Amino acid sequence: MTEFDLKNLNECLEEYLPTDKLKEVKRILYGLDEDQILDLPDDATDIAHKHGFEIKGYRFKAREEQIRKPRLVRVGAIQNSIVLPTTASIEDQRVAIWNKVKTMIKAAAAAGCNIVCTQEAWTMPFAFCTREKFPWCEFAEEAENGPTTKMLADLAKTYNMVIIHSILERDIEHGETIWNTAVVISNNGKYLGKHRKNHIPRVGDFNESTYYMEGDTFHPVFETEFGKIAINICYGRHHPQNWMMFGLNGAEIVFNPSATIGRLSEPLWGIEARNAAIANSYFTVPINRVGTETFPNEYTSGDGGKAHKEFGPFYGSSYVAAPDGSRTPSLSRDKDGLLVTELDLNLCRQIKDFWGFRMTQRLPLYAESFKKASEPDFKPQIIKESLKPNN
C-alpha cells in the first residue's frame, strides 16, 4: 500500500458529518468549542498553491491578564517527502530537498512565523531500514559548520526566524561519530546549539542503532527571542520522562521532529504529544514526514515477511497541542505541508495555576523510587497475600 484512501481526518469529518454533529465531534476530538482558524496572508498561500503543498493556519488563545501582555508566537511545522529517487547522488538528493523546503520556509516567513521546525533527518531518505552503511552515512554532516546549517543560517537571518532542523550529524572532533541531532539556529543567523536523540528505536524497520546510539546532551532548553524551546526527537515521544525533563528545564514549546509509518505508530500519534502538553504545561509540535521511500536493494523486516525495497508510507499528520489539552487538526496524511500556528505562551503559566500539575508533581518521591529502580538489586514493590495460616 503506497497511498492512503483517507487523506485527512478533519476533511473527512467535514465532508460527511452534519453541521450540528460536526461541531460536537470536533469539541471532543480537538478540545475546542469553535474552530480557531488563523487567516494567512495571500503571499503565503500563493507560494503554497504555486508549489503544490498544503498550508493551514490555527491559533491558541490565552486568558487576558492584567499584568502581562500576550506573548504571541507563530510556529511553522514542515512535513515533506523526498524529491529524487534514492539511487540519485547524495548531493543531488540533498540539494533537491533543500530547494523544496527553502520554498516552504519562504512561505512560513510570509505567514509571519517566528520559529520553524523540520521533520527528522529532513535532508535525506530515512534509509536506516536498510542496515546498509553505504552510501547513506555520506548524508552525515557537522552540526555547527555543515552545509545545511550554513544554508539555513542565511535564511534565519534574512527572515528574522529561529530555525530548528534535524540532521544526521558527523562529530568530527570525536572520532567522526554519527548522531541523530537537532540543530537550533537563532533569528540572528547564529548557531545556538544542538540536541542529540535520547532514545533510539529497535522496532520494526527502524534499525537506527546500526548507525548511531543514544544521545549525550541530556535535555537542553534553548532560550530564544520568541520563547524557551526544546526538541524531543522522534522515538523520544514514547518516553514520558523525556518530555518531563524538558518541562523541568523550563521549555514552553517542545518540537517533536519525527519519521514514523502508519501501521506501526499511527494509533499512538495523536495521543503522546498531546498527553505531554497536558502533563507538562507547555505546547508540543509533533512533525512527521510523508510518502513511501524506495531503496535500491531489498531488505527484510525480521517479521517473517518477504524482502522488499519500500519503506512507508509515512503518514504526515503534523499538529500542535496546547497545555490545556486542546489541539489543532492535522495536516494531510500524504501531502507536503506547512502548519502555521499562533500560540500565546501566557497559556503555559495559566494552566500551571489552574491544574497545579507542577505543584503536585512530588519530584522527591519519584527521584527516590527511580534511584531504587535503577539499582541491580531492585525488587518491585508488590504486596502479596500471606500463605501463612491465621492464628
Side-chain angles (χ1 to χ4, degrees), residues 279-386:
N280 298 287
S281 304
Y282 53 44
F283 291 92
T284 58
V285 188
I287 308 166
N288 187 25
R289 66 173 58 200
V290 293
T292 295
E293 299 173 359
T294 302
F295 295 94
N297 302 316
E298 291 185 334
Y299 65 93
T300 60
S301 300
D303 58 1
K306 293 182 178 180
H308 50 96
K309 295 182 178 183
E310 295 77 25
F311 192 23
F314 297 93
Y315 55 81
S317 303
S318 305
Y319 69 97
V320 177
D324 63 358
S326 62
R327 55 156 290 182
T328 69
S330 300
L331 288 179
S332 166
R333 298 170 78 224
D334 67 343
K335 294 180 181 177
D336 294 347
L338 168 64
L339 177 62
V340 179
T341 311
E342 184 175 272
L343 322 174
D344 188 341
L345 297 183
N346 283 351
L347 187 61
C348 298
R349 183 193 292 179
Q350 291 175 9
I351 295 303
K352 290 176 185 176
D353 289 346
F354 182 80
W355 278 107
F357 291 149
R358 292 293 294 273
M359 179 180 67
T360 59
Q361 198 168 25
R362 300 198 64 192
L363 290 176
L365 169 68
Y366 293 99
E368 183 178 350
S369 296
F370 286 148
K371 186 177 186 303
K372 291 178 181 178
S374 64
E375 297 295 337
D377 59 352
F378 170 70
K379 296 186 182 304
Q381 187 180 1
I382 299 174
I383 299 173
K384 300 179 181 180
E385 182 179 1
S386 175

Side-chain angles (χ1 to χ4, degrees), residues 100-136:
K100 173 190 279 194
V101 173
K102 282 164 68 174
T103 300
M104 300 175 81
I105 292 174
K106 182 179 180 180
C113 287
N114 307 113
I115 308 171
V116 165
C117 185
T118 69
Q119 63 200 25
E120 182 183 22
W122 76 278
T123 61
M124 62 181 291
F126 212 73
F128 313 120
C129 57
T130 67
R131 298 187 293 275
E132 299 168 345
K133 294 297 183 73
F134 308 106
W136 316 119

Side-chain angles (χ1 to χ4, degrees), residues 78-106:
I78 294 175
Q79 65 177 44
N80 61 276
S81 59
I82 60 174
V83 180
L84 299 180
T86 59
T87 51
S89 73
I90 298 296
E91 186 63 15
D92 285 350
Q93 288 187 64
R94 181 163 58 189
V95 170
I97 298 172
W98 277 6
N99 291 336
K100 173 190 279 194
V101 173
K102 282 164 68 174
T103 300
M104 300 175 81
I105 292 174
K106 182 179 180 180

Side-chain angles (χ1 to χ4, degrees), residues 13-14 16-28 33:
L13 294 174
E14 291 178 343
Y16 292 107
L17 285 182
T19 303
D20 57 336
K21 291 185 178 180
L22 175 64
K23 182 176 181 180
E24 184 65 3
V25 167
K26 283 188 173 182
R27 184 191 66 81
I28 295 169
D33 292 325

Side-chain angles (χ1 to χ4, degrees), residues 137-308:
C137 286
E138 293 185 55
F139 277 104
E141 57 183 282
E142 289 185 78
E144 182 173 358
N145 297 309
T148 302
T149 296
K150 289 182 177 179
M151 180 272 294
L152 291 176
D154 290 338
L155 297 183
K157 185 175 182 179
T158 298
Y159 296 135
N160 189 33
M161 172 194 295
V162 173
I163 297 180
I164 304 161
H165 74 106
S166 172
I167 59 169
L168 195 62
E169 178 198 359
R170 175 77 69 182
D171 187 354
I172 298 297
E173 295 181 352
H174 297 89
E176 299 185 310
T177 304
I178 289 176
W179 304 89
N180 185 319
T181 301
V183 180
V184 182
I185 304 169
S186 79
N187 56 309
N188 296 314
K190 297 181 179 179
Y191 170 83
L192 189 55
K194 66 186 177 186
H195 172 57
R196 291 168 172 163
K197 188 172 181 176
N198 278 331
H199 299 275
I200 307 302
R202 295 161 178 85
V203 58
D205 287 329
F206 291 86
N207 303 306
E208 297 172 48
S209 60
T210 302
Y211 301 85
Y212 45 79
M213 296 300 287
E214 285 74 13
D216 57 359
T217 53
F218 296 90
H219 298 88
V221 171
F222 301 90
E223 187 165 3
T224 75
E225 182 177 330
F226 308 113
K228 297 177 181 177
I229 63 175
I231 308 100
N232 181 358
I233 303 173
C234 197
Y235 191 74
R237 72 179 176 280
H238 303 306
H239 295 270
Q241 295 88 351
N242 206 34
W243 291 107
M244 181 183 71
M245 287 307 304
F246 292 118
L248 292 179
N249 283 331
E252 296 171 307
I253 312 169
V254 180
F255 295 86
N256 176 227
S258 301
T260 185
I261 59 175
R263 292 190 180 276
L264 177 69
S265 65
E266 197 164 12
L268 311 179
W269 179 254
I271 300 170
E272 291 170 310
R274 191 175 186 182
N275 280 352
I278 297 167
N280 298 287
S281 304
Y282 53 44
F283 291 92
T284 58
V285 188
I287 308 166
N288 187 25
R289 66 173 58 200
V290 293
T292 295
E293 299 173 359
T294 302
F295 295 94
N297 302 316
E298 291 185 334
Y299 65 93
T300 60
S301 300
D303 58 1
K306 293 182 178 180
H308 50 96

